[in-house]
Amino acid sequence: MKNNSNFNTGLLFITYLLMDSDQEISENELNYLDSVRLEAGIDDDEFRVFYSSAIGKTEREIYQVGMDAINRCTDKEKIQIFVKLYGMALADQVLRVKEVRFILYATRMADVNMERVIEMANEVGIAVS
């Protein structure tokens, strides 16, 4: 499925921050990112462009770019992005407080109901074990 550029930009930038929030990126997180990237229809070239554009940016700049893009998405797309972010937080099988705070704060900034995100994540098989 090919998504709009705001969806892809928001997804990639905020996922990057979430992955790096504990300064340790696990193999499970990388595998999850790859599956999310492929599911979203983000090809290798688009991924390279994202990665190149993130280099040299501060955490705050990356967050701003990602959230600006998410806020230009439809409500349905926002939910989809946050379901994927929730899955990323669980990918390394350790849900850290910093990851939870980050997701909760980002959902507030995007005016997304976290309960709805968890409900949708459970529907697609993403859950805390």
Side-chain angles (χ1 to χ4, degrees):
M1 169 175 110
K2 185 69 173 165
N3 295 300
N4 73 55
S5 63
N6 288 322
F7 180 97
N8 292 346
T9 298
L11 177 64
L12 290 174
F13 274 76
I14 300 303
T15 298
Y16 172 80
L17 289 177
L18 185 61
M19 286 175 60
D20 195 46
S21 68
D22 60 0
Q23 281 77 43
E24 183 179 315
I25 299 174
S26 73
E27 188 171 333
N28 286 347
E29 288 173 318
L30 290 174
N31 291 337
Y32 186 81
L33 173 62
D34 197 46
S35 69
V36 165
R37 179 183 71 83
L38 293 173
E39 182 182 313
I42 301 170
D43 62 29
D44 292 342
D45 290 335
E46 186 176 2
F47 188 73
R48 275 192 286 279
V49 168
F50 148 73
Y51 192 79
S52 295
S53 70
I55 292 174
K57 283 186 173 47
T58 66
E59 188 174 284
R60 179 181 284 280
E61 290 170 322
I62 292 170
Y63 180 81
Q64 192 63 53
V65 169
M67 290 307 299
D68 286 347
I70 288 173
N71 282 317
R72 288 191 295 272
C73 291
T74 66
D75 289 343
K76 182 179 178 184
E77 290 171 325
K78 288 178 184 181
I79 294 286
Q80 291 172 342
I81 289 170
F82 283 103
V83 166
K84 292 175 187 331
L85 291 173
Y86 182 72
M88 176 58 76
L90 298 173
D92 60 1
Q93 301 173 354
V94 178
L95 188 59
R96 292 175 175 81
V97 172
K98 187 173 182 178
E99 292 170 327
V100 172
R101 285 185 184 149
F102 180 80
I103 291 173
L104 288 173
Y105 182 75
T107 57
R108 279 192 224 126
M109 295 294 99
D111 195 27
V112 171
N113 182 311
M114 190 61 196
E115 289 175 14
R116 181 71 180 129
V117 170
I118 293 170
E119 179 183 301
M120 292 297 296
N122 287 331
E123 287 179 19
V124 297
I126 300 170
V128 177
S129 41

